[in-house]
Amino acid sequence: MYQVEIDTGSGFCFGVTTAIRKAEEELAKGSTLYCLGDIVHNGMECERLRQMGLVTINHEDLKQLHDAKVLLRAHGEPPETYALARKNNIEIIDATCPVVLQLQRRIKKQYDSKDEEQQAKGKKQIVIFGKPGHAEVLGLVGQTENNAIVIASFEDVKKLDFSRDIYLYSQTTKSLDEFQRIIEYIKQNISPDATFKSFDTICRQVANRMPSIAAFAARHDLLLFVCGRKSSNGRVLFNECQRVNANSHLIEGPNEIDPSWFNDELKTIGICGATSTPKWLMEECRDAILK
């Protein structure tokens, strides 16, 4: 029999926990509740809440909606979403993560600043290290009237105009190591006549998990990383698991567990997940192995 351990540090982060709690509280009242986008990047948790009555909609659906309640998930939304809600008499249940909300405000303040050095907005580049099209990133770009530049990876930094001022921020769930590489590259290439400022806006609840999840992965013969394939922080954390343990597999649920991964030489199996992975799902994966 294998020894199976679930990582105690895995599971929902504060922002996701709050969003799901708010959804459950509203649904318990018996009223119809809409959620703008998947409440969490985990299909099985979304299905659980759908069965409770949560209706997931997209931005096109929102335009047609009037006199309703809509939950904004932890990722946050751009200003135009709030404006549309006011226009359509939609009650917003705002579950934007406090870390994301603070980041939105910082970017908006920087974009709106008109000090002597920044008379023209065209002189400065507000750059966001993040996944293009990701819900959080769309909300951040929206604070700049969609003028911010998004760079997805270290390679993209080379496309910036180093003769102009650069103000660098990061999506909250990106890799801290890659962010530092980008900072160093800009420092080395920025014009002496241009200003460069970087702001470490990576959520420490994700960043601090990197060393602990690496240690967890390293001490097991086989690792199952449970997460939805849409999860950005899940990809970052899984890559770290693979780096230290080549026998790591990303699965969305127990039905994706492959019997060929198991043999008589295995002694310990670790199960961990993203900040969007519910504990109950990791427990189901454990039970599927031990049954």
Side-chain angles (χ1 to χ4, degrees):
M1 183 62 69
Y2 310 116
Q3 178 187 342
V4 182
E5 180 185 6
I6 295 176
D7 176 30
T8 56
S10 290
F12 291 151
C13 64
F14 170 79
V16 172
T17 299
T18 301
I20 288 174
R21 176 178 52 78
K22 286 187 175 185
E24 290 174 336
E25 287 172 356
E26 288 298 324
L27 291 168
K29 297 174 185 176
S31 56
T32 301
L33 179 65
Y34 298 90
C35 181
L36 188 54
D38 291 339
I39 191 170
V40 62
H41 287 156
N42 186 279
M44 296 182 77
E45 179 66 6
C46 287
E47 176 59 21
R48 183 184 75 85
L49 290 167
R50 188 193 67 78
Q51 291 180 9
M52 291 178 65
L54 186 65
V55 180
T56 301
I57 60 172
N58 59 32
H59 286 83
E60 287 303 310
D61 298 326
L62 186 68
K63 293 175 184 176
Q64 312 303 321
L65 201 62
H66 293 79
D67 310 312
K69 277 187 182 180
V70 175
L71 183 138
L72 302 185
R73 56 200 178 158
H75 301 91
E77 283 291 321
E80 50 262 37
T81 298
Y82 293 87
L84 179 62
R86 288 190 294 271
K87 178 184 173 185
N88 289 3
N89 193 35
I90 291 170
E91 180 184 344
I92 291 291
I93 309 297
D94 201 338
T96 303
C97 172
V99 178
V100 174
L101 197 58
Q102 182 185 37
L103 174 53
Q104 287 184 347
R105 289 169 179 160
R106 288 176 73 175
I107 290 175
K108 179 170 174 52
K109 183 178 179 181
Q110 180 62 60
Y111 181 73
D112 289 342
S113 68
K114 292 185 175 70
D115 55 39
E116 290 183 6
E117 294 180 7
Q118 297 292 348
Q119 288 299 324
K121 285 178 180 175
K123 188 188 174 190
K124 64 181 170 184
Q125 301 166 96
I126 293 180
V127 180
I128 298 167
F129 171 44
K131 181 179 179 182
H134 186 279
E136 180 189 328
V137 174
L138 293 175
L140 299 178
V141 173
Q143 308 305 314
T144 68
E145 300 174 318
N146 298 321
N147 286 310
I149 300 166
V150 179
I151 57 173
S153 66
F154 174 75
E155 290 303 313
D156 288 344
V157 75
K158 298 169 186 177
K159 297 185 235 176
L160 299 178
D161 184 348
F162 293 100
S163 68
R164 294 166 56 205
D165 296 352
I166 296 174
Y167 294 82
L168 176 69
Y169 299 84
S170 176
Q171 179 181 343
T172 59
T173 54
K174 292 297 282 182
S175 162
L176 189 56
D177 289 343
E178 193 169 10
F179 187 60
Q180 291 299 331
R181 284 184 68 205
I182 289 169
I183 289 171
E184 290 307 312
Y185 186 89
I186 295 174
K187 282 181 179 178
Q188 291 165 13
N189 290 275
I190 192 83
S191 166
D193 299 323
T195 297
F196 170 53
K197 291 184 180 179
S198 62
F199 306 90
D200 182 354
T201 52
I202 292 173
C203 177
R204 285 305 182 267
Q205 194 165 358
V206 176
N208 290 345
R209 287 197 58 210
M210 294 287 278
S212 61
I213 208 163
F216 179 83
R219 70 170 182 260
H220 291 289
D221 300 324
L222 170 70
L223 186 91
L224 299 182
F225 189 92
V226 187
C227 100
R229 288 184 170 82
K230 292 181 182 178
S231 172
S232 291
N233 88 83
R235 176 55 58 182
V236 171
L237 292 169
F238 176 64
N239 287 345
E240 183 66 5
C241 290
Q242 272 196 317
R243 186 183 67 81
V244 299
N245 185 341
N247 198 16
S248 296
H249 304 275
L250 190 151
I251 59 172
E252 288 198 329
N255 61 317
E256 293 187 5
I257 297 173
D258 188 339
S260 69
W261 295 338
F262 303 89
N263 57 56
D264 293 338
E265 295 178 4
L266 284 183
K267 293 180 181 176
T268 66
I269 299 168
I271 299 175
C272 55
T275 56
S276 54
T277 304
K279 279 280 174 64
W280 64 262
L281 186 54
M282 290 184 281
E283 290 169 354
E284 282 192 0
C285 291
R286 175 200 60 199
D287 296 344
I289 294 168
L290 296 177
K291 70 179 181 181

